[in-house]
Structures are given as C-alpha cells and as structure tokens.
Amino acid sequence: MSEHRRKPPQPEGSGRAAARRAAQQRPGRGAGPARDVPTASPSGPYAEPPGHGGRAGSRRAAPRGSGGRGRDAAGGAGRGPGRPDKRLINYPRSDKDGWQRFVPSWKLVCGTAFGFFAIVTAGAGIGIASVNTPDPNKAAQAQNNVFFWADGTQMVATGGSMNRQIVPIDKIPKSMQNAVISAENESFETDKGVDPMGIARAVWNMAKGGSTQGGSTITQQYVKNTYLDSDQTLKRKVTELFISIKLGVSEEKDTILAGYLNTAYYGRDAYGIQAASRAYFGKDCKDLTPSESAFLASVLKGPNLYNPDGGVGTAATPEKNTERAKERWAWVLDREVAVGRMQKAERDQFTEFPKIVDSEQARSLSGQTGYLVDTAKKYVMKVTGLTAEEMARGGYQIKTTFQKPKVDSLVKAVEDTRNNFLDEKARPEYDTFVQFGAASVDVKSGAIVALYGGPGMDKKYFSNNADTLGVPVGSTWKPYVLAAAMQYGTQNSHSQGISADSKYNANDLTVINNRDGKPLRDASGKPFKQKNESTYPYGYVTLNEAMEKSINVPFAQLVFDVGHNKVRDVAEATGILKDSMNPNNDASFALGTSTPSAIRMADSYATFAASGTHHDPFSVTSVEKDGKELPGFGTPKEQRAMDDAIADNVTKVLENVVDNGTGTKVRKLGFTRPAAGKTGTTDQNKSAWFVGYTPELSTSVALFRTDPNSKDKKLISMNGVGGVDSIHGGDIPAAIWTEYMKEALKGVPVKEFPEAEKIGVTADASGAPSPSPSFSPSPSPSMPSPSASSSPPVSPSPSKGGKPTCKPWELYCIPDTNGGTNSGNTNGGPGGGTGGPSGSPSGSPSGRPGRPGGTSWGTSMGTSG
C-alpha cells in the first residue's frame, strides 16, 4: 500500500480506542494494568453513555483514566461526571462514599461551633441587658405572718419591720466581712460573680431530676436572696445567672457584699446583719466582735440547723444545733487564718463560744402561743414544701384549728395540778424538771383543738412536749396488740380474729414463748420470765380483764402469738409514725417501749373512737399569701384503718378500764360521760400516760421528768415526785385529763359509743383451762384485795372544815360526805405490771397515792398501768 494512502498513527490515549480503554478501566485503579474483569457492553441497556464524543472527550477521559484513586474514566463513582452540589450545607457529604459521607468536614464543625457561640453570646447579651440589678431595700420590705384561732380571731403576728434594716458597708465591721468571705467565697474580690463549676453542678443535678441548686458565690447568693418567692425553676436560675454576671461587671464588690449581708436570713426571724446582731447579741452590728462575727457567718450555713434555739425536724434540736454551731464557729475562725484574713495570734484569743442573748421572738410568744405557732408552721411547711427561711420572709395569713377556750382549759388543768402537786422549794431533789405534755384532737376530723407544750418559750423551754419523741408510752400501747389479735388472729385461732374473752396466763414471772412455741431466752441464756408489777396469782384471765388491770404477762405472750409486724401495721394505720416504734421483736414491744408524741397518741386513739376511721392530725385549715389561698389545706381525707367492729370492741374493753380498772380516777372525779381510755407507766417510773376519748374528743396527757438544759435529756425516775412513792398513769395524767375534758365538753350533748357487736373466736393460749375452770377466779372489783399482795388500807385523813381532803391526783382517795377521806384499792386486784426478767417488785406497800415503784430495767423493759 502506498505511503500516501496509509492513516497517520494515532497518539496513545486519544481517539475512540483510548476512550474505550478508559471506559473499561475499573474505578479507582488509574492507569494500572488491566484485570480480567467482565464489563458491561457499551450497547447494553444499562451502559453509561460516553461523556463526550470525539477527540476532546478522549483528551478529557485520558487524564482521569491515568489519574488518582477513587475516580473512574466516566467521571466519578456512579454520580456522573462530578456535577457540583448546590445544597447550603453539604451534609451528608456528596463528595464522599460510604460511611465517610457522614463524617463532617472541618468547615462544617468550625462553622457550627462558631454559630452556636454567636447565638449563645447574643442570647446572653440580650438576657443581661434585659434584667435589673437587685434592690436590697425592696428585698427587705417587712411582712408579718399572722396566725388566727379556729374562730377567725387573731392569735399573734410574727416577724415585721423591726427585724429588717439596711445598713451601709461602712457600718458593717471588717471582721464580719472577713468571716463571710472566708467561709462562703474566698475568691469573692477577684471573681466575676459566677462560679462555672457550681453552675455545671446545678445543671447536671436538674438534668438528673434532682432539685435545683443555688449559686455558690456571694454574688449569686445575694441575687437569690432578692427573690422572695419559692419558685424553683430553670427560668429563675437562668435569670439569677444573668443578674449575677451583670453585677459582677457593673457593681463594686463592697456594694454586692453589703447587699448580701443585708438580705441574708440568720434565723430568729432576722433578715440582714443589723437585725441578726440585735437578735443574737442585743447590739448594733458595728459593735460585733470577731468571735460574734464568726458565729453569724456560721448561721448563714443554714439557720434551721445552726441556730442554737433549734429548728424544724428531728435533726434540728437545740442540742444538735448548738453542737453544729460551735463546730462551724471554730472552723470559720480557723478558715480566716488559712486564707490570710486573720492573724494566728488573734485567732488564739477566741476560745469560748460567744454568749447569745435570750430570743426576743421567744419572749414575745409567751405561754402556749409559741408551741401553737411552732406546730402550725411545721404543718404549713410540710404541706407546701416551704423552708424555714421562706416562712420567715412573712406574708402568710394562717388560720389554725386551735380553739382558744379549749387551750385555756387544758392550760388551767395542767397548771392547777402542777401547783397542787409539786413543790420545788420543799422537794428540789424530786420535784424539779417534771414535765407535762398534752394534746386534744377532734374525733370526727383529726383537727388538733388544743395542746400543752410546756411552761413556755418565754421561760426558756423551747421543746414542745406535745410533739416530742423519746418518752415511752407504757401500757397505752396494749390496745394495739389487742386490736391486731382481733384483726389477724393468733396461731391458736388459725388466723381467725379472736375476741377479748380469750384467756391467757397472767401469773407473775411466766415464761414467754416465741412463735415457734419455744421459750425466749434472757441475756444469760435462761428462759425469759415476764414480770408483772404485782405477784398476785391471777391464773388465766381474759384479755378484757388483762387490759382492765393492765397485767403485763398476757400481752407479752399475745404479741408473739399475733406477730410484731401485724401490731406495727395496726398502729401505723391509726396514725402512729413508724420511726417512733420500737424496732425490736421482743416482749417489751407489747408493753410500750415505743415513743410516739402526745399529738400522735391522741390522734391514734381517735381512730378507735371513730369506729376505725382515721384522719391524719392537722393544725391549719387555710393559708393565704398575697390574697391568694394556697392549695392543700383543709380536713385530710379519711382512711379506713380497721373494721368498725374491731374498733368498737377495743372501745368496749377500754370503757371497762375507765369504769372498773386502772382508769377509775376519771369516774371518781365526777366524769359522767361515756369514756374509754388506757393508763400507762414505764419501768423505773420515768413516764406516766393517760390516753382517753369520748365520742367527740380524744386527749392524751404525758408526765415525765428530764432536765431541759441537759445535753442528752435523759429521762429521770419520778419515784418520790410529789412526795409519793411512784406516779402512775391513773394518777396525775388521769386527773389532768378529767379536769380538761369536763370543761372542754361543757354544753355538748352527751353521746354514746356505738354498740360493739360480737366478733372473733375464743382462742385461749396454750395451757388454758377448760370452760369450767377448776382454779379460783381472780377477785372481782367488789372483793377486797389480798393483803399480802396489795397496799393496805390507809386510815382516813382528818376532816378539814367539813371539806373533802382528797387531792385530784390521789388515785385511792375516796372522799366521804362528811369531809373525811378513805383510801383503798378499788380495782379488786393489783394494778398493772412492770416488766423485767425476774425478781419481785422493789416498792413496798405505802399509804401514799400511787403504787409501789417498779423494778430496775431487765432484759425486757416493762410497763404498768
């Protein structure tokens, strides 16, 4: 072939062949050697059309064919020839394959972070600009809490302007400034008003569902103090944060510190440093010493727990608060040295806790008013969740359930008996430190209508005896054991409820068996023998008679036959708090080693009076703030604690106690209404109770002895108090109960208790005799007591002017119509018993009121009626 007819050679990589070769390359392989991989035919239905024809297309395809990884000759991995992405945000990324499409680019990350920062900054700027700085004068506006009697008349107003006064920073001693900064915020003078770590902790806590937390800097606390509401929300916390930041950059540190000290709460209803100085030390704040300043800085930790007067809750007693305050006071002084705000030599001068003046607040709440206000405040805080500090800010109108005539009647009954019974000058070793506590509850609603808390807060007695824990209730606990037996039955009744006619061994020093029928063991490993107060050989008696005479042995055995937890369930259903119950499953549990308050005992017995319907005790019917009524107040919803037949049968048994048993003092003092009740006395005569009720009112009276100024407030034996060998529940407490109830129910129509229907099966304890017993019956109330086991009769006292000489507490004193006096045991047999592992009663027969004293505590603390 001639030269002119031959085609010129094509350069490699050009023309159609090159295009075909490029198209056949595997994606991502560049110009490497070809592999034996099948390829789709260009003419097939799914083949990609070439990007462009001709030489220009060949030239564009050639470089891609020999190019880098991840590209094919046709213009990309399945996305055509690299068409540009027109989205505003390239995510998922169009220029990546597989999981890499979801990895954000550095541009996206940086842009997002910058945008978020810009939004937060703009929002913070707007927030800071829109909030106002606190006004301490506005925050210190005075408001009272006003308490009203049940009839709507005013009882007392607490708080007010006298406790709120603004002072400038130059009137606040440097020692106070140093103490607060050292204790609360060491970096106060250099920080910007907020604590980022504290904020993070607060946010994290709220995110977990916990309560909100306040700021830790002085600036944040100052801002928080200006919010007088209790709205704990995220919105409020954010607002506080913005204000704190604004203050940190716009206000002088002295202004912030003065604002904080002038709005902080120090206890004793005192807001601000000037009010606190007057409340605790009776001086202006400019005259505070470094030691006194350290104390006030300590109280800021939490007045409810650091005010030596005490606070709300079992952990806020005066003793515990004083101990905490002293520890905190010493720590603040040491802290001042550690941060360079006090010299060590100056610190060493302060070794004694500063002397605190008597509370002006307590002096203004004289008599029972302080205890009534204290009870109502606790109830308001329980219902609303308000703190003591929030309550002290004032502005609340509180209507209570307390009825002034009944309160006055209860006070008179206690004070008359105290004045006639005690003589601290003549018998200081016996008659000092004797305490009275009482409470009266409306049966139909649970409203506390009256209470007696002590001689008065104005007389430096701050503990409310009507609401105190730690005083064992003695045999007043036995009705719960009986009620549990009536409801759940015993091992001998095959879980059927038993009746009060069931018989149990009542002899002194009887061995008590556990639920397995095996003898309990005392500390020495010997079989445990329960002690009665008397050695009288009762034999087997009904539970009704055991309650009447308050015999210990039957109930010590019955609690094991029923089960301790079932007794606890019954007591709790009637209103007794679980944490006041003896947690041990021992014999003494049945005999009253638990320690409910007088309020709880009165409310619990009201459940029996109301045929098994229980209302929680309450002391407030309505609360208003800023003209709006707060929700949650009024009569609590009633609950069914037990079957009405069980409650009515317990009442029938307790009526017998008043009519024929250890509570006959009620009848002797002329109480003619239907009444049911139970006496209780603890071992070593450390407390005595009478809890009783009518269809209208349930009232409890407690008598005990303790030094209110002692550190541990241990109970002291009352043997010898009032010049008698021992005090029992049927003596002084029953006399106070009767005198009060006669006056409180004056003019109220007489109402009978519901008739008790027969319930349960007669399930005698193991060893009980057949229905026709061969043993001698125990003496009836009309039979004289055996002289060997009871106190002998006492010769009549001489007549004085033709008037009876019986004192209201003399249980065995029977006035005659000629003015003379006869004494004797009207119960037929001895009274209740005192528990103990063994031995006989230590008391000797006496002609004085009361019965022989109990023995010393043994393995099982015992009680008597």
Side-chain angles (χ1 to χ4, degrees):
M1 188 177 295
S2 64
E3 292 294 331
H4 67 274
R5 299 191 57 178
R6 291 187 353 191
K7 292 182 179 180
Q10 299 293 327
E12 187 178 355
S14 62
R16 295 182 179 179
R20 283 194 299 271
R21 284 195 300 271
Q24 292 172 358
Q25 293 290 328
R26 291 187 62 188
R29 292 298 177 183
R35 296 191 179 186
D36 187 14
V37 179
T39 59
S41 170
S43 62
Y46 302 104
E48 286 187 351
H52 294 279
R55 297 182 178 181
S58 298
R59 286 195 298 271
R60 285 194 296 270
R64 286 196 293 269
S66 60
R69 305 171 64 87
R71 290 287 177 182
D72 59 20
R79 287 187 297 275
R83 203 173 299 158
D85 195 318
K86 297 183 179 180
R87 291 178 296 170
L88 179 64
I89 300 176
N90 185 20
Y91 191 83
R93 297 172 65 181
S94 61
D95 57 339
K96 294 292 183 180
D97 296 319
W99 61 269
Q100 292 180 331
R101 299 181 61 208
F102 300 96
V103 177
S105 66
W106 67 268
K107 294 180 180 180
L108 181 62
V109 172
C110 294
T112 302
F114 179 79
F116 178 77
F117 179 76
I119 293 173
V120 170
T121 302
I126 295 172
I128 293 173
S130 63
V131 296
N132 297 319
T133 56
D135 183 355
N137 291 284
K138 183 178 179 181
Q141 287 179 352
Q143 295 186 78
N144 286 325
N145 284 326
V146 184
F147 294 83
F148 298 90
W149 294 103
D151 63 3
T153 58
Q154 183 171 319
M155 178 196 304
V156 69
T158 64
S161 58
M162 62 175 294
N163 277 352
R164 303 181 186 217
Q165 183 178 350
I166 301 298
V167 292
I169 192 67
D170 58 0
K171 298 293 184 182
I172 302 175
K174 198 68 177 177
S175 64
M176 185 66 200
Q177 300 177 41
N178 287 333
V180 171
I181 293 174
S182 300
E184 300 286 333
N185 185 188
E186 176 189 350
S187 63
F188 168 72
E189 292 177 335
T190 58
D191 64 37
K192 299 302 181 183
V194 294
D195 176 14
M197 293 303 297
I199 296 171
R201 286 192 300 268
V203 172
W204 174 248
N205 191 59
M206 286 186 290
K208 292 190 301 180
S211 61
T212 56
Q213 298 177 346
S216 59
T217 68
I218 287 176
T219 305
Q220 289 174 272
Q221 293 181 60
Y222 168 41
V223 172
K224 183 169 69 72
N225 289 343
T226 64
Y227 284 85
L228 303 186
D229 60 80
S230 58
D231 185 20
Q232 293 288 337
T233 62
L234 181 60
K235 177 182 177 182
R236 171 181 161 176
K237 302 305 299 182
V238 171
T239 303
E240 290 176 6
L241 175 62
F242 287 157
I243 297 175
S244 299
I245 296 173
K246 186 171 184 177
L247 281 178
V249 298
S250 64
E251 291 286 355
E252 297 290 336
K253 290 294 184 179
D254 282 351
T255 302
I256 297 173
L257 182 59
Y260 171 61
L261 294 177
N262 278 311
T263 57
Y265 180 62
Y266 297 79
R268 287 193 172 183
D269 273 357
Y271 273 88
I273 182 63
Q274 174 67 5
S277 182
R278 300 295 306 175
Y280 287 101
F281 302 110
K283 62 172 69 173
D284 291 332
C285 66
K286 64 183 179 61
D287 299 321
L288 288 170
T289 68
S291 178
E292 293 166 344
S293 296
F295 166 78
L296 292 179
S298 302
V299 176
L300 289 175
K301 176 75 172 175
N304 191 60
L305 295 177
Y306 289 86
N307 176 6
D309 300 337
V312 178
T314 56
T317 63
E319 297 76 27
K320 293 179 180 178
N321 280 18
T322 299
E323 183 178 352
R324 276 190 290 263
K326 289 181 177 180
E327 292 177 356
R328 180 75 176 176
W329 165 79
W331 178 86
V332 171
L333 290 171
D334 292 338
R335 181 67 177 165
E336 289 187 67
V337 175
V339 300
R341 292 184 176 271
M342 179 183 287
Q343 296 298 318
K344 182 67 166 60
E346 183 182 7
R347 164 66 182 93
D348 294 339
Q349 299 175 16
F350 306 118
T351 58
E352 293 186 6
F353 192 67
K355 185 177 180 179
I356 299 171
V357 300
D358 294 338
S359 172
E360 173 100 18
Q361 175 189 7
R363 288 197 297 270
S364 66
L365 300 176
S366 60
Q368 298 307 301
T369 305
Y371 306 121
L372 298 174
V373 168
D374 178 67
T375 302
K377 285 171 61 177
K378 287 181 180 178
Y379 187 77
V380 171
M381 287 187 282
K382 173 186 174 183
V383 172
T384 62
L386 292 171
T387 66
E389 290 85 347
E390 290 163 345
M391 276 293 298
R393 288 177 180 141
Y396 297 96
Q397 309 284 310
I398 302 168
K399 185 178 181 181
T400 73
T401 59
F402 305 126
Q403 299 178 20
K404 191 176 188 304
K406 288 183 172 61
V407 172
D408 292 343
S409 297
L410 185 54
V411 171
K412 186 177 186 301
V414 172
E415 297 300 335
D416 286 351
T417 303
R418 174 193 286 276
N419 295 336
N420 290 328
F421 176 59
L422 301 177
D423 191 339
E424 296 185 21
K425 293 182 178 179
R427 296 182 296 269
E429 70 277 21
Y430 296 112
D431 289 4
T432 55
F433 307 137
V434 178
Q435 308 293 336
F436 297 81
S440 187
V441 171
D442 180 72
V443 166
K444 297 180 181 65
S445 65
I448 306 170
V449 297
L451 58 79
Y452 183 90
M457 293 182 175
D458 55 320
K459 297 180 180 178
K460 300 183 181 181
Y461 194 86
F462 298 102
S463 295
N464 185 352
N465 289 342
D467 198 25
T468 189
L469 301 178
V471 181
V473 296
S475 292
T476 59
W477 192 261
K478 290 174 182 175
Y480 304 121
V481 184
L482 178 61
M486 289 179 170
Q487 180 169 337
Y488 296 106
T490 64
Q491 292 172 314
N492 295 330
S493 72
H494 306 291
S495 299
Q496 295 185 67
I498 68 172
S499 76
D501 294 328
S502 302
K503 293 183 176 67
Y504 270 72
N505 190 348
N507 286 333
D508 188 39
L509 298 177
T510 296
V511 173
I512 304 300
N513 295 324
N514 61 22
R515 288 186 64 80
D516 296 327
K518 298 179 180 179
L520 296 180
R521 299 290 173 175
D522 60 21
S524 64
K526 297 178 181 179
F528 169 78
K529 298 179 179 180
Q530 179 60 54
K531 176 133 190 63
N532 294 327
E533 184 177 16
S534 169
T535 59
Y536 184 83
Y538 292 102
Y540 280 80
V541 302
T542 65
L543 293 174
N544 183 53
E545 185 178 353
M547 188 75 76
E548 171 193 318
K549 296 179 172 64
S550 200
I551 310 171
N552 285 342
V553 169
F555 292 97
Q557 182 59 60
L558 181 61
V559 74
F560 283 95
D561 292 350
V562 175
H564 290 73
N565 285 336
K566 289 184 172 63
V567 177
R568 290 188 180 95
D569 290 343
V570 168
E572 187 175 9
T574 65
I576 301 298
L577 300 179
K578 203 160 190 176
D579 59 4
S580 69
M581 300 183 200
N582 173 7
N584 301 315
N585 292 338
D586 50 25
S588 67
F589 174 79
L591 309 179
T593 48
S594 298
T595 60
S597 68
I599 292 175
R600 285 287 170 177
M601 287 301 291
D603 175 71
S604 176
Y605 270 47
T607 305
F608 298 132
S611 296
T613 299
H614 174 249
H615 295 89
D616 276 336
F618 69 105
S619 57
V620 175
T621 57
S622 67
V623 178
E624 288 187 6
K625 177 72 182 293
D626 298 329
K628 297 180 181 179
E629 190 165 321
L630 275 60
F633 294 95
T635 303
K637 185 179 180 180
E638 65 180 37
Q639 297 176 326
R640 173 58 61 179
M642 65 184 69
D643 189 80
D644 56 353
I646 294 174
D648 293 341
N649 271 270
V650 171
T651 293
K652 182 179 179 180
V653 172
L654 297 185
E655 280 188 279
N656 187 50
V657 172
V658 172
D659 293 336
N660 305 303
T662 57
T664 54
K665 190 66 178 179
V666 171
R667 296 302 184 207
K668 291 176 185 179
L669 291 175
F671 194 81
T672 58
R673 289 173 175 270
K678 185 68 188 77
T679 59
T681 308
T682 58
D683 199 11
Q684 292 188 343
N685 207 204
K686 290 185 176 181
S687 64
W689 289 74
F690 184 77
V691 187
Y693 53 90
T694 67
E696 301 83 15
L697 281 181
S698 177
T699 302
S700 64
V701 179
L703 182 68
F704 55 99
R705 191 176 178 216
T706 185
D707 181 357
N709 298 315
S710 64
K711 185 175 182 179
D712 51 15
K713 288 192 176 181
K714 286 185 178 180
L715 296 179
I716 308 170
S717 173
M718 292 189 293
N719 289 335
V721 169
V724 299
D725 291 340
S726 62
I727 306 297
H728 290 73
D731 301 334
I732 303 296
I736 294 173
W737 185 94
T738 305
E739 292 303 313
Y740 162 71
M741 292 290 278
K742 284 197 297 186
E743 191 66 27
L745 294 172
K746 186 177 291 185
V748 177
V750 175
K751 183 180 179 181
E752 299 291 334
F753 287 115
E755 188 69 26
E757 62 182 76
K758 283 201 168 190
I759 61 168
V761 298
T762 300
D764 299 338
S766 300
S770 62
S772 300
S774 59
F775 62 93
S776 300
S778 45
S780 66
S782 60
M783 296 173 59
S785 301
S787 58
S789 61
S790 64
S791 301
V794 179
S795 301
S797 302
S799 173
K800 296 182 181 180
K803 295 182 179 180
T805 58
C806 286
K807 301 295 184 183
W809 59 83
E810 293 179 330
L811 179 61
Y812 305 108
C813 178
I814 306 175
D816 59 31
T817 56
N818 297 321
T821 305
N822 295 318
S823 290
N825 189 340
T826 64
N827 297 338
T834 301
S838 60
S840 59
S842 59
S844 58
S846 169
R848 294 185 178 276
R851 281 165 283 176
T855 60
S856 60
W857 284 12
T859 304
S860 173
M861 174 182 170
T863 60
S864 68

